């Protein structure tokens, strides 16, 4: 009798331990397929989420790397499960083109207060170039002529990112084709040339966004300034809040969200809840991006940045995991 009782107790204990393990690792046996852009400065926030998913028991596949438009299409066709680089306003067209709410869902707000816009060096701003519309004046446009054709050279947006649609639309809408060239290519190369020109005292006109390391070097309010636009006008008749601190920047004052497939979210309540509650301060992203710009750009460096962020935000991070585990019960 004693032996039977002991065996029963041992079995019950083993079952409870197994149940505890299952509750602690609700993603056990599930592989998650992320898709990201080939941009080093967007890896950090993804890897924080990858670590959280792994702590919940999920296996995380090597991310597929494609540009924003293709990234959304991969989600819409079921070739990936989630991304954490969806700009809520900027990428909404991509979201709709990829199936929208029928197959995808925007989950939570990972990063709030993301900005985009056109900027010039402070000397040019103080000289009277304060609105994109000012560049209709050929004399003012020529201040930013880098190649000798008399037109302003705008260091612009990579095709496929989404920002290029806004810029191309606004150049037409505001009647600026005759005085501005939209230079597109590898962004880091273009912006490196822009920074070098500022350092030699030349005028510059460029597009950028936050969070990103560029605004730690070309600092709005110090050596550069955001331009206003004549009025709000976005592609396809879209509407959004484009004013920040009293200035109409022309781009949606945005947030960066997670987009996942409906199928994945329905099958994985723990991951769904993680995506809902996870939030990262935009200044933390910019600070990490500056480390990359300063040479800490290897995969091991980024893993170290992720580990440091988790330790510095341990209570917040553990709360994410607790909420995810509770959702799976």
């Amino acid at each position: 009798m004693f032996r039977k009782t002991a065996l029963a107790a041992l079995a019950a204990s083993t079952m409870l331990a197994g149940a505890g393990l299952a509750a602690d690792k609700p993603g056990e046996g599930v592989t998650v397929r992320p898709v990201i852009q080939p941009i080093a400065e967007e890896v950090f926030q993804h890897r924080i989420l990858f670590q959280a998913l792994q702590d919940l028991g999920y296996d995380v596949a090597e991310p597929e790397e494609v540009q924003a438009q293709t990234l959304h299409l991969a989600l819409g066709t079921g070739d990936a499960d989630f991304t954490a680089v969806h700009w809520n306003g900027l990428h909404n067209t991509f979201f709709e083109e990829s199936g929208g709410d029928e197959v995808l869902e925007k989950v939570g707000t990972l990063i709030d207060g993301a900005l985009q816009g056109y900027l010039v060096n402070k000397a040019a701003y103080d000289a009277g170039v304060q609105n994109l519309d000012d560049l209709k004046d050929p004399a003012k446009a020529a201040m930013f002529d880098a190649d000798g054709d008399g037109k302003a050279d705008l260091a612009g947006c990579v095709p496929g990112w989404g920002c290029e649609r806004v810029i191309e639309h606004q150049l037409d809408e505001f009647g600026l084709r005759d005085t501005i060239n939209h230079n597109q290519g590898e962004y880091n190369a273009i912006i490196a040339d822009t920074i070098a020109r500022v350092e030699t005292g030349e005028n510059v006109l460029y597009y950028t966004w936050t969070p990103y390391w560029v605004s730690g070097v070309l600092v709005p309010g110090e050596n550069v300034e955001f331009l206003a636009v004549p009025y709000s006008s976005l592609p396809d008749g879209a509407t959004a809040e484009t004013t920040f601190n009293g200035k109409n920047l022309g781009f949606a004052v945005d947030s960066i969200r997670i987009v996942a497939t409906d199928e994945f979210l329905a099958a994985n309540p723990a991951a769904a809840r993680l995506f809902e509650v996870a939030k990262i301060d935009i200044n933390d992203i910019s600070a990490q991006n500056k480390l990359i710009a300063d040479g800490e750009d290897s995969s091991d460096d980024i893993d170290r940045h992720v580990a440091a962020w988790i330790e510095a935000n341990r209570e917040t991070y553990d709360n994410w995991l607790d909420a995810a585990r509770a959702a799976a019960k």
Side-chain angles (χ1 to χ4, degrees):
M1 176 67 71
F2 174 79
R3 184 170 182 276
K4 287 183 178 179
T5 303
L7 287 172
L10 178 60
S13 175
T14 302
M15 288 176 64
L16 287 170
L21 181 62
D24 194 51
K25 302 280 188 180
E28 201 90 68
V30 178
T31 297
V32 186
R33 301 167 302 156
V35 59
I36 66 177
Q37 293 194 98
I39 300 173
E41 291 81 4
E42 293 178 351
V43 173
F44 173 68
Q45 52 266 45
H46 279 95
R47 288 196 184 172
I48 291 173
L49 291 176
F50 296 168
Q51 185 60 59
L53 287 165
Q54 289 167 345
D55 287 343
L56 292 169
Y58 291 95
D59 292 321
V60 179
E62 188 68 23
E64 183 180 357
E65 295 188 6
V66 292
Q67 297 294 2
Q69 185 173 20
T70 308
L71 172 157
H72 286 81
L73 290 171
L75 290 167
T77 56
D79 292 328
D81 297 318
F82 88 98
T83 188
V85 71
H86 172 82
W87 286 59
N88 192 51
L90 180 67
H91 292 156
N92 192 62
T93 298
F94 296 160
F95 178 83
E96 297 297 341
E97 290 172 348
S98 302
D101 292 329
E102 292 296 316
V103 292
L104 303 174
E105 185 174 338
K106 301 183 183 188
V107 192
T109 298
L110 185 65
I111 304 167
D112 216 352
L115 301 179
Q116 304 170 77
Y118 308 99
L119 297 95
V120 298
N121 55 298
K122 196 164 192 319
Y125 189 87
D126 291 343
V129 181
Q130 300 183 358
N131 192 297
L132 195 64
D133 201 49
D134 293 331
L135 297 176
K136 281 182 179 176
D137 180 346
K140 289 183 176 178
M143 293 169 58
F144 305 94
D145 178 15
D147 60 10
D149 68 354
K151 298 170 72 171
D153 285 290
L154 167 64
C157 177
V158 176
W161 281 7
C163 42
E164 84 284 0
R165 289 188 176 192
V166 179
I167 295 171
E168 289 294 304
H169 167 80
Q170 291 180 350
L171 291 178
D172 287 331
E173 176 70 19
F174 302 144
L176 293 164
R177 289 290 182 187
D178 291 339
T179 53
I180 296 179
N181 288 321
H182 180 197
N183 297 329
Q184 299 173 269
E186 208 285 312
Y187 185 81
N188 281 346
I190 291 174
I191 207 66
D193 177 68
T194 301
I195 292 168
R197 289 173 59 204
V198 170
E199 290 173 346
T200 58
E202 296 179 62
N203 294 319
V204 295
L205 169 66
Y206 66 99
Y207 159 87
T208 199
W209 69 95
T210 62
Y212 196 56
W213 64 267
V214 169
S215 293
V217 179
L218 303 179
V219 183
E222 294 185 16
N223 53 354
V224 296
E225 295 283 358
F226 275 102
L227 295 181
V229 297
Y231 51 87
S232 296
S233 183
L234 296 170
D236 304 316
T239 58
E241 177 57 65
T242 59
T243 299
F244 181 76
N245 285 347
K247 182 179 288 186
N248 189 341
L249 303 181
F251 293 79
V253 176
D254 224 328
S255 57
I256 300 174
R257 307 184 67 185
I258 295 167
V259 168
T261 67
D262 289 344
E263 183 178 358
F264 176 79
L265 295 173
N268 294 278
R273 184 62 178 152
L274 170 67
F275 295 164
E276 287 175 356
V277 299
K279 293 184 184 298
I280 303 173
D281 189 282
I282 194 168
N283 294 320
D284 293 349
I285 305 290
S286 291
Q288 189 274 339
N289 287 180
K290 185 63 168 62
L291 294 177
I292 289 178
D294 290 342
E296 296 184 26
D297 56 359
S298 72
S299 183
D300 287 344
D301 285 332
I302 295 172
D303 282 343
R304 182 165 44 79
H305 302 159
V306 168
W309 186 91
I310 290 172
E311 281 310 305
N313 297 272
R314 173 57 66 181
E315 182 178 356
T316 295
Y317 180 82
D318 286 346
N319 286 341
W320 297 355
L321 300 183
D322 290 343
R325 289 173 179 135
K329 290 180 180 177

